[in-house]
Amino acid sequence: MNRIEILGVPVDVVKVEDLEKEFLLVLEKKGTKQIVFLTIWDLIKASRKKSELRDCLNSASIILPISKTILFGAKVLKKEVPVRYNPFTTTISLLSTLENYSKSLFLFGGRKKALLTAEKNVHTTFSGLQIVGRYIGYYPKSVEDDIVMGLYKSSPSLALVADGIKEKNLWAYHRRNKFKDSVFLYYRDIIGIFSERIRRPSEKTFEKGHEFRMELVRNPLKLFLLFPFLWYIIKLLYVRLFKITDGTGDIVTVPSVAAENAEKSPKTTQGDDDQPSAPVDFDVSD
């Protein structure tokens, strides 16, 4: 796995055949870990100055691009082009790995009926996967301590976070010191897909990069995302043409310092010298 930067935002280059190995390595690490499905909108947000999302991504264990335009950005900047991952098929692959290695899962998000249906369908498909807990999204602030404690006690191998969690990827990042050794993965639509309430994009639609059209149908206001997208294209071209960036993605005027460094540098000569706990049941009432 190799980590590159696009406008100062980290993106991982992970071959499909290496994903399971990298996932297992993450599972073995101590502490709270994150796997991130990176969209172009997340990348644009994280590329801004003083972005907390950028800090979150810098601490993430694996960052998988899911937008075609992220690959375009890597090509424009002449970076190593990462593999684009389909979030649904990748999630299924990760769950299969968990089942094969007798790991555990926590489902977090969605409404009551959707969550219970999703849990049932996951259990049917991955019968060897232990589901150690679940809790609904859209929860009142007053129960958050109970949720955090439940995640801490159950210590799932993977916590799958879905809709109804306002902070999205930042939820686990903000509470990273309150858990044991779990991996967190935010995928907004996964509970809806597992409960058959949301239709996932077809493989053909995803390969063409047309999944955003489905987003527009669900929320026409997303048409205004055209403006930050144009900013992204302009900034890519600016960096490509002038080749000036400070390493964080912020464009600055940088003089050529190679000769200056060569003059200042002194000449050197040779000779310098965990078992999963019992299921944690929660009240999944709205």
Side-chain angles (χ1 to χ4, degrees), residues 5-36:
E5 283 192 355
I6 300 176
L7 301 183
V9 180
V11 181
D12 288 328
V13 181
V14 185
K15 295 180 181 178
V16 175
E17 59 269 25
D18 293 338
L19 181 59
E20 181 178 73
K21 177 188 69 176
E22 296 293 341
F23 181 44
L24 290 173
L25 289 174
V26 172
L27 288 173
E28 292 175 2
K29 294 179 180 178
K30 298 296 182 181
T32 302
K33 293 90 59 176
Q34 277 189 270
I35 296 175
V36 176

PDB file of all heavy atoms in Angstrom, residues 5-36:
ATOM      1  N   GLU A   5      -0.814  12.084  -2.032  1.00  0.00           N
ATOM      2  CA  GLU A   5      -1.612  13.247  -1.654  1.00  0.00           C
ATOM      3  C   GLU A   5      -2.149  13.933  -2.898  1.00  0.00           C
ATOM      4  O   GLU A   5      -1.419  14.108  -3.875  1.00  0.00           O
ATOM      5  CB  GLU A   5      -0.786  14.245  -0.837  1.00  0.00           C
ATOM      6  CG  GLU A   5      -0.573  13.836   0.607  1.00  0.00           C
ATOM      7  CD  GLU A   5      -0.012  14.965   1.463  1.00  0.00           C
ATOM      8  OE1 GLU A   5       0.292  16.041   0.891  1.00  0.00           O
ATOM      9  OE2 GLU A   5       0.125  14.777   2.675  1.00  0.00           O
ATOM     10  N   ILE A   6      -3.404  14.296  -2.849  1.00  0.00           N
ATOM     11  CA  ILE A   6      -4.036  15.074  -3.909  1.00  0.00           C
ATOM     12  C   ILE A   6      -4.544  16.361  -3.276  1.00  0.00           C
ATOM     13  O   ILE A   6      -5.431  16.332  -2.420  1.00  0.00           O
ATOM     14  CB  ILE A   6      -5.185  14.299  -4.569  1.00  0.00           C
ATOM     15  CG1 ILE A   6      -4.669  13.000  -5.193  1.00  0.00           C
ATOM     16  CG2 ILE A   6      -5.884  15.151  -5.622  1.00  0.00           C
ATOM     17  CD1 ILE A   6      -5.752  12.116  -5.777  1.00  0.00           C
ATOM     18  N   LEU A   7      -3.934  17.483  -3.638  1.00  0.00           N
ATOM     19  CA  LEU A   7      -4.243  18.779  -3.035  1.00  0.00           C
ATOM     20  C   LEU A   7      -4.106  18.720  -1.510  1.00  0.00           C
ATOM     21  O   LEU A   7      -4.894  19.304  -0.773  1.00  0.00           O
ATOM     22  CB  LEU A   7      -5.649  19.239  -3.434  1.00  0.00           C
ATOM     23  CG  LEU A   7      -5.897  19.402  -4.937  1.00  0.00           C
ATOM     24  CD1 LEU A   7      -7.302  19.933  -5.190  1.00  0.00           C
ATOM     25  CD2 LEU A   7      -4.863  20.309  -5.579  1.00  0.00           C
ATOM     26  N   GLY A   8      -3.099  17.990  -1.050  1.00  0.00           N
ATOM     27  CA  GLY A   8      -2.825  17.905   0.376  1.00  0.00           C
ATOM     28  C   GLY A   8      -3.643  16.873   1.122  1.00  0.00           C
ATOM     29  O   GLY A   8      -3.492  16.709   2.333  1.00  0.00           O
ATOM     30  N   VAL A   9      -4.527  16.156   0.426  1.00  0.00           N
ATOM     31  CA  VAL A   9      -5.403  15.172   1.062  1.00  0.00           C
ATOM     32  C   VAL A   9      -4.856  13.768   0.811  1.00  0.00           C
ATOM     33  O   VAL A   9      -4.599  13.408  -0.336  1.00  0.00           O
ATOM     34  CB  VAL A   9      -6.838  15.280   0.515  1.00  0.00           C
ATOM     35  CG1 VAL A   9      -7.742  14.247   1.173  1.00  0.00           C
ATOM     36  CG2 VAL A   9      -7.376  16.688   0.724  1.00  0.00           C
ATOM     37  N   PRO A  10      -4.660  12.970   1.853  1.00  0.00           N
ATOM     38  CA  PRO A  10      -4.110  11.628   1.666  1.00  0.00           C
ATOM     39  C   PRO A  10      -5.086  10.679   0.979  1.00  0.00           C
ATOM     40  O   PRO A  10      -6.284  10.690   1.252  1.00  0.00           O
ATOM     41  CB  PRO A  10      -3.802  11.165   3.093  1.00  0.00           C
ATOM     42  CG  PRO A  10      -4.762  11.937   3.949  1.00  0.00           C
ATOM     43  CD  PRO A  10      -4.916  13.272   3.278  1.00  0.00           C
ATOM     44  N   VAL A  11      -4.556   9.871   0.078  1.00  0.00           N
ATOM     45  CA  VAL A  11      -5.321   8.841  -0.618  1.00  0.00           C
ATOM     46  C   VAL A  11      -4.421   7.612  -0.722  1.00  0.00           C
ATOM     47  O   VAL A  11      -3.244   7.736  -1.067  1.00  0.00           O
ATOM     48  CB  VAL A  11      -5.740   9.288  -2.042  1.00  0.00           C
ATOM     49  CG1 VAL A  11      -6.549   8.190  -2.722  1.00  0.00           C
ATOM     50  CG2 VAL A  11      -6.535  10.586  -1.990  1.00  0.00           C
ATOM     51  N   ASP A  12      -4.959   6.439  -0.426  1.00  0.00           N
ATOM     52  CA  ASP A  12      -4.146   5.225  -0.470  1.00  0.00           C
ATOM     53  C   ASP A  12      -4.279   4.499  -1.800  1.00  0.00           C
ATOM     54  O   ASP A  12      -5.361   4.406  -2.371  1.00  0.00           O
ATOM     55  CB  ASP A  12      -4.538   4.279   0.667  1.00  0.00           C
ATOM     56  CG  ASP A  12      -4.073   4.788   2.021  1.00  0.00           C
ATOM     57  OD1 ASP A  12      -3.007   5.444   2.061  1.00  0.00           O
ATOM     58  OD2 ASP A  12      -4.756   4.538   3.028  1.00  0.00           O
ATOM     59  N   VAL A  13      -3.144   4.000  -2.256  1.00  0.00           N
ATOM     60  CA  VAL A  13      -3.103   3.169  -3.456  1.00  0.00           C
ATOM     61  C   VAL A  13      -3.020   1.720  -2.979  1.00  0.00           C
ATOM     62  O   VAL A  13      -1.963   1.267  -2.517  1.00  0.00           O
ATOM     63  CB  VAL A  13      -1.890   3.513  -4.347  1.00  0.00           C
ATOM     64  CG1 VAL A  13      -1.899   2.642  -5.601  1.00  0.00           C
ATOM     65  CG2 VAL A  13      -1.892   4.994  -4.703  1.00  0.00           C
ATOM     66  N   VAL A  14      -4.127   1.011  -3.056  1.00  0.00           N
ATOM     67  CA  VAL A  14      -4.197  -0.367  -2.569  1.00  0.00           C
ATOM     68  C   VAL A  14      -4.680  -1.260  -3.705  1.00  0.00           C
ATOM     69  O   VAL A  14      -5.794  -1.074  -4.212  1.00  0.00           O
ATOM     70  CB  VAL A  14      -5.171  -0.491  -1.374  1.00  0.00           C
ATOM     71  CG1 VAL A  14      -5.135  -1.912  -0.809  1.00  0.00           C
ATOM     72  CG2 VAL A  14      -4.842   0.521  -0.288  1.00  0.00           C
ATOM     73  N   LYS A  15      -3.876  -2.210  -4.091  1.00  0.00           N
ATOM     74  CA  LYS A  15      -4.292  -3.158  -5.117  1.00  0.00           C
ATOM     75  C   LYS A  15      -5.417  -4.032  -4.559  1.00  0.00           C
ATOM     76  O   LYS A  15      -5.441  -4.354  -3.373  1.00  0.00           O
ATOM     77  CB  LYS A  15      -3.114  -4.030  -5.532  1.00  0.00           C
ATOM     78  CG  LYS A  15      -1.983  -3.273  -6.210  1.00  0.00           C
ATOM     79  CD  LYS A  15      -0.852  -4.216  -6.583  1.00  0.00           C
ATOM     80  CE  LYS A  15       0.297  -3.457  -7.245  1.00  0.00           C
ATOM     81  NZ  LYS A  15       1.436  -4.357  -7.582  1.00  0.00           N
ATOM     82  N   VAL A  16      -6.330  -4.415  -5.432  1.00  0.00           N
ATOM     83  CA  VAL A  16      -7.478  -5.217  -5.002  1.00  0.00           C
ATOM     84  C   VAL A  16      -7.026  -6.493  -4.319  1.00  0.00           C
ATOM     85  O   VAL A  16      -7.581  -6.905  -3.288  1.00  0.00           O
ATOM     86  CB  VAL A  16      -8.382  -5.545  -6.215  1.00  0.00           C
ATOM     87  CG1 VAL A  16      -9.501  -6.486  -5.811  1.00  0.00           C
ATOM     88  CG2 VAL A  16      -8.962  -4.262  -6.811  1.00  0.00           C
ATOM     89  N   GLU A  17      -5.981  -7.121  -4.869  1.00  0.00           N
ATOM     90  CA  GLU A  17      -5.513  -8.380  -4.306  1.00  0.00           C
ATOM     91  C   GLU A  17      -4.814  -8.203  -2.955  1.00  0.00           C
ATOM     92  O   GLU A  17      -4.593  -9.168  -2.229  1.00  0.00           O
ATOM     93  CB  GLU A  17      -4.567  -9.089  -5.282  1.00  0.00           C
ATOM     94  CG  GLU A  17      -3.338  -8.298  -5.669  1.00  0.00           C
ATOM     95  CD  GLU A  17      -3.520  -7.443  -6.909  1.00  0.00           C
ATOM     96  OE1 GLU A  17      -4.683  -7.079  -7.207  1.00  0.00           O
ATOM     97  OE2 GLU A  17      -2.508  -7.158  -7.568  1.00  0.00           O
ATOM     98  N   ASP A  18      -4.475  -6.963  -2.612  1.00  0.00           N
ATOM     99  CA  ASP A  18      -3.798  -6.703  -1.334  1.00  0.00           C
ATOM    100  C   ASP A  18      -4.742  -6.203  -0.247  1.00  0.00           C
ATOM    101  O   ASP A  18      -4.315  -6.039   0.903  1.00  0.00           O
ATOM    102  CB  ASP A  18      -2.689  -5.657  -1.534  1.00  0.00           C
ATOM    103  CG  ASP A  18      -1.549  -6.177  -2.387  1.00  0.00           C
ATOM    104  OD1 ASP A  18      -1.382  -7.410  -2.471  1.00  0.00           O
ATOM    105  OD2 ASP A  18      -0.828  -5.340  -2.980  1.00  0.00           O
ATOM    106  N   LEU A  19      -5.992  -5.943  -0.588  1.00  0.00           N
ATOM    107  CA  LEU A  19      -6.901  -5.317   0.375  1.00  0.00           C
ATOM    108  C   LEU A  19      -7.123  -6.185   1.611  1.00  0.00           C
ATOM    109  O   LEU A  19      -7.098  -5.682   2.745  1.00  0.00           O
ATOM    110  CB  LEU A  19      -8.239  -4.997  -0.289  1.00  0.00           C
ATOM    111  CG  LEU A  19      -9.272  -4.313   0.626  1.00  0.00           C
ATOM    112  CD1 LEU A  19      -8.736  -2.998   1.171  1.00  0.00           C
ATOM    113  CD2 LEU A  19     -10.584  -4.085  -0.112  1.00  0.00           C
ATOM    114  N   GLU A  20      -7.347  -7.467   1.425  1.00  0.00           N
ATOM    115  CA  GLU A  20      -7.593  -8.338   2.579  1.00  0.00           C
ATOM    116  C   GLU A  20      -6.392  -8.348   3.516  1.00  0.00           C
ATOM    117  O   GLU A  20      -6.546  -8.251   4.749  1.00  0.00           O
ATOM    118  CB  GLU A  20      -7.906  -9.767   2.139  1.00  0.00           C
ATOM    119  CG  GLU A  20      -8.184 -10.697   3.318  1.00  0.00           C
ATOM    120  CD  GLU A  20      -8.543 -12.102   2.893  1.00  0.00           C
ATOM    121  OE1 GLU A  20      -7.627 -12.844   2.439  1.00  0.00           O
ATOM    122  OE2 GLU A  20      -9.728 -12.480   3.026  1.00  0.00           O
ATOM    123  N   LYS A  21      -5.194  -8.426   2.957  1.00  0.00           N
ATOM    124  CA  LYS A  21      -3.983  -8.424   3.772  1.00  0.00           C
ATOM    125  C   LYS A  21      -3.869  -7.130   4.561  1.00  0.00           C
ATOM    126  O   LYS A  21      -3.573  -7.146   5.762  1.00  0.00           O
ATOM    127  CB  LYS A  21      -2.747  -8.595   2.878  1.00  0.00           C
ATOM    128  CG  LYS A  21      -1.416  -8.545   3.621  1.00  0.00           C
ATOM    129  CD  LYS A  21      -0.241  -8.536   2.671  1.00  0.00           C
ATOM    130  CE  LYS A  21      -0.165  -7.220   1.909  1.00  0.00           C
ATOM    131  NZ  LYS A  21       1.035  -7.134   1.029  1.00  0.00           N
ATOM    132  N   GLU A  22      -4.137  -5.996   3.904  1.00  0.00           N
ATOM    133  CA  GLU A  22      -4.048  -4.712   4.576  1.00  0.00           C
ATOM    134  C   GLU A  22      -5.122  -4.595   5.668  1.00  0.00           C
ATOM    135  O   GLU A  22      -4.863  -4.047   6.750  1.00  0.00           O
ATOM    136  CB  GLU A  22      -4.216  -3.569   3.570  1.00  0.00           C
ATOM    137  CG  GLU A  22      -3.118  -3.489   2.513  1.00  0.00           C
ATOM    138  CD  GLU A  22      -1.761  -3.126   3.105  1.00  0.00           C
ATOM    139  OE1 GLU A  22      -1.730  -2.596   4.233  1.00  0.00           O
ATOM    140  OE2 GLU A  22      -0.749  -3.377   2.447  1.00  0.00           O
ATOM    141  N   PHE A  23      -6.296  -5.113   5.409  1.00  0.00           N
ATOM    142  CA  PHE A  23      -7.388  -5.096   6.380  1.00  0.00           C
ATOM    143  C   PHE A  23      -7.023  -5.907   7.624  1.00  0.00           C
ATOM    144  O   PHE A  23      -7.241  -5.475   8.762  1.00  0.00           O
ATOM    145  CB  PHE A  23      -8.666  -5.628   5.740  1.00  0.00           C
ATOM    146  CG  PHE A  23      -9.864  -5.643   6.644  1.00  0.00           C
ATOM    147  CD1 PHE A  23     -10.152  -4.567   7.473  1.00  0.00           C
ATOM    148  CD2 PHE A  23     -10.725  -6.741   6.666  1.00  0.00           C
ATOM    149  CE1 PHE A  23     -11.276  -4.575   8.302  1.00  0.00           C
ATOM    150  CE2 PHE A  23     -11.841  -6.755   7.490  1.00  0.00           C
ATOM    151  CZ  PHE A  23     -12.114  -5.672   8.312  1.00  0.00           C
ATOM    152  N   LEU A  24      -6.446  -7.072   7.415  1.00  0.00           N
ATOM    153  CA  LEU A  24      -6.051  -7.914   8.542  1.00  0.00           C
ATOM    154  C   LEU A  24      -4.955  -7.252   9.370  1.00  0.00           C
ATOM    155  O   LEU A  24      -4.940  -7.364  10.603  1.00  0.00           O
ATOM    156  CB  LEU A  24      -5.570  -9.279   8.028  1.00  0.00           C
ATOM    157  CG  LEU A  24      -6.661 -10.181   7.436  1.00  0.00           C
ATOM    158  CD1 LEU A  24      -6.045 -11.422   6.804  1.00  0.00           C
ATOM    159  CD2 LEU A  24      -7.678 -10.579   8.511  1.00  0.00           C
ATOM    160  N   LEU A  25      -4.054  -6.546   8.711  1.00  0.00           N
ATOM    161  CA  LEU A  25      -3.009  -5.819   9.437  1.00  0.00           C
ATOM    162  C   LEU A  25      -3.618  -4.716  10.301  1.00  0.00           C
ATOM    163  O   LEU A  25      -3.181  -4.482  11.434  1.00  0.00           O
ATOM    164  CB  LEU A  25      -2.001  -5.211   8.454  1.00  0.00           C
ATOM    165  CG  LEU A  25      -1.068  -6.198   7.739  1.00  0.00           C
ATOM    166  CD1 LEU A  25      -0.229  -5.471   6.693  1.00  0.00           C
ATOM    167  CD2 LEU A  25      -0.148  -6.909   8.741  1.00  0.00           C
ATOM    168  N   VAL A  26      -4.630  -4.049   9.766  1.00  0.00           N
ATOM    169  CA  VAL A  26      -5.308  -3.001  10.537  1.00  0.00           C
ATOM    170  C   VAL A  26      -6.015  -3.608  11.751  1.00  0.00           C
ATOM    171  O   VAL A  26      -5.977  -3.049  12.856  1.00  0.00           O
ATOM    172  CB  VAL A  26      -6.322  -2.245   9.651  1.00  0.00           C
ATOM    173  CG1 VAL A  26      -7.172  -1.297  10.498  1.00  0.00           C
ATOM    174  CG2 VAL A  26      -5.590  -1.464   8.569  1.00  0.00           C
ATOM    175  N   LEU A  27      -6.645  -4.755  11.568  1.00  0.00           N
ATOM    176  CA  LEU A  27      -7.349  -5.413  12.669  1.00  0.00           C
ATOM    177  C   LEU A  27      -6.409  -5.764  13.818  1.00  0.00           C
ATOM    178  O   LEU A  27      -6.809  -5.771  14.989  1.00  0.00           O
ATOM    179  CB  LEU A  27      -8.041  -6.683  12.174  1.00  0.00           C
ATOM    180  CG  LEU A  27      -9.281  -6.500  11.279  1.00  0.00           C
ATOM    181  CD1 LEU A  27      -9.738  -7.837  10.737  1.00  0.00           C
ATOM    182  CD2 LEU A  27     -10.411  -5.830  12.050  1.00  0.00           C
ATOM    183  N   GLU A  28      -5.164  -6.056  13.499  1.00  0.00           N
ATOM    184  CA  GLU A  28      -4.193  -6.456  14.518  1.00  0.00           C
ATOM    185  C   GLU A  28      -3.664  -5.280  15.336  1.00  0.00           C
ATOM    186  O   GLU A  28      -3.138  -5.471  16.432  1.00  0.00           O
ATOM    187  CB  GLU A  28      -3.016  -7.184  13.856  1.00  0.00           C
ATOM    188  CG  GLU A  28      -3.384  -8.534  13.259  1.00  0.00           C
ATOM    189  CD  GLU A  28      -2.217  -9.171  12.513  1.00  0.00           C
ATOM    190  OE1 GLU A  28      -1.124  -8.551  12.508  1.00  0.00           O
ATOM    191  OE2 GLU A  28      -2.399 -10.263  11.953  1.00  0.00           O
ATOM    192  N   LYS A  29      -3.808  -4.069  14.812  1.00  0.00           N
ATOM    193  CA  LYS A  29      -3.284  -2.897  15.508  1.00  0.00           C
ATOM    194  C   LYS A  29      -4.138  -2.562  16.733  1.00  0.00           C
ATOM    195  O   LYS A  29      -5.322  -2.842  16.784  1.00  0.00           O
ATOM    196  CB  LYS A  29      -3.246  -1.694  14.560  1.00  0.00           C
ATOM    197  CG  LYS A  29      -2.272  -1.836  13.412  1.00  0.00           C
ATOM    198  CD  LYS A  29      -2.313  -0.604  12.514  1.00  0.00           C
ATOM    199  CE  LYS A  29      -1.348  -0.733  11.349  1.00  0.00           C
ATOM    200  NZ  LYS A  29      -1.420   0.445  10.452  1.00  0.00           N
ATOM    201  N   LYS A  30      -3.487  -1.963  17.717  1.00  0.00           N
ATOM    202  CA  LYS A  30      -4.178  -1.556  18.932  1.00  0.00           C
ATOM    203  C   LYS A  30      -4.843  -0.189  18.745  1.00  0.00           C
ATOM    204  O   LYS A  30      -4.414   0.621  17.940  1.00  0.00           O
ATOM    205  CB  LYS A  30      -3.193  -1.493  20.106  1.00  0.00           C
ATOM    206  CG  LYS A  30      -2.536  -2.822  20.439  1.00  0.00           C
ATOM    207  CD  LYS A  30      -3.562  -3.835  20.914  1.00  0.00           C
ATOM    208  CE  LYS A  30      -2.894  -5.137  21.300  1.00  0.00           C
ATOM    209  NZ  LYS A  30      -3.885  -6.164  21.751  1.00  0.00           N
ATOM    210  N   GLY A  31      -5.886   0.038  19.514  1.00  0.00           N
ATOM    211  CA  GLY A  31      -6.539   1.331  19.497  1.00  0.00           C
ATOM    212  C   GLY A  31      -7.633   1.443  18.445  1.00  0.00           C
ATOM    213  O   GLY A  31      -7.943   0.492  17.726  1.00  0.00           O
ATOM    214  N   THR A  32      -8.220   2.634  18.361  1.00  0.00           N
ATOM    215  CA  THR A  32      -9.279   2.906  17.396  1.00  0.00           C
ATOM    216  C   THR A  32      -8.674   3.150  16.018  1.00  0.00           C
ATOM    217  O   THR A  32      -7.746   3.935  15.868  1.00  0.00           O
ATOM    218  CB  THR A  32     -10.089   4.143  17.817  1.00  0.00           C
ATOM    219  OG1 THR A  32     -10.637   3.916  19.118  1.00  0.00           O
ATOM    220  CG2 THR A  32     -11.214   4.425  16.831  1.00  0.00           C
ATOM    221  N   LYS A  33      -9.198   2.455  15.016  1.00  0.00           N
ATOM    222  CA  LYS A  33      -8.730   2.617  13.640  1.00  0.00           C
ATOM    223  C   LYS A  33      -9.913   2.988  12.743  1.00  0.00           C
ATOM    224  O   LYS A  33     -11.062   2.746  13.107  1.00  0.00           O
ATOM    225  CB  LYS A  33      -8.091   1.329  13.103  1.00  0.00           C
ATOM    226  CG  LYS A  33      -6.786   0.947  13.783  1.00  0.00           C
ATOM    227  CD  LYS A  33      -6.952   0.065  14.997  1.00  0.00           C
ATOM    228  CE  LYS A  33      -7.634  -1.231  14.736  1.00  0.00           C
ATOM    229  NZ  LYS A  33      -7.696  -2.115  15.929  1.00  0.00           N
ATOM    230  N   GLN A  34      -9.588   3.556  11.581  1.00  0.00           N
ATOM    231  CA  GLN A  34     -10.641   3.897  10.627  1.00  0.00           C
ATOM    232  C   GLN A  34     -10.259   3.486   9.220  1.00  0.00           C
ATOM    233  O   GLN A  34      -9.098   3.598   8.811  1.00  0.00           O
ATOM    234  CB  GLN A  34     -10.902   5.409  10.629  1.00  0.00           C
ATOM    235  CG  GLN A  34     -11.830   5.878  11.734  1.00  0.00           C
ATOM    236  CD  GLN A  34     -12.230   7.329  11.566  1.00  0.00           C
ATOM    237  OE1 GLN A  34     -11.559   8.223  12.070  1.00  0.00           O
ATOM    238  NE2 GLN A  34     -13.330   7.561  10.857  1.00  0.00           N
ATOM    239  N   ILE A  35     -11.263   3.007   8.504  1.00  0.00           N
ATOM    240  CA  ILE A  35     -11.174   2.823   7.058  1.00  0.00           C
ATOM    241  C   ILE A  35     -12.150   3.826   6.461  1.00  0.00           C
ATOM    242  O   ILE A  35     -13.294   3.942   6.928  1.00  0.00           O
ATOM    243  CB  ILE A  35     -11.541   1.390   6.640  1.00  0.00           C
ATOM    244  CG1 ILE A  35     -10.521   0.396   7.219  1.00  0.00           C
ATOM    245  CG2 ILE A  35     -11.590   1.263   5.114  1.00  0.00           C
ATOM    246  CD1 ILE A  35     -10.870  -1.056   6.950  1.00  0.00           C
ATOM    247  N   VAL A  36     -11.712   4.562   5.461  1.00  0.00           N
ATOM    248  CA  VAL A  36     -12.535   5.637   4.905  1.00  0.00           C
ATOM    249  C   VAL A  36     -12.803   5.393   3.422  1.00  0.00           C
ATOM    250  O   VAL A  36     -11.869   5.129   2.654  1.00  0.00           O
ATOM    251  CB  VAL A  36     -11.850   7.009   5.085  1.00  0.00           C
ATOM    252  CG1 VAL A  36     -12.669   8.109   4.410  1.00  0.00           C
ATOM    253  CG2 VAL A  36     -11.652   7.323   6.563  1.00  0.00           C
TER     254      VAL A  36
END
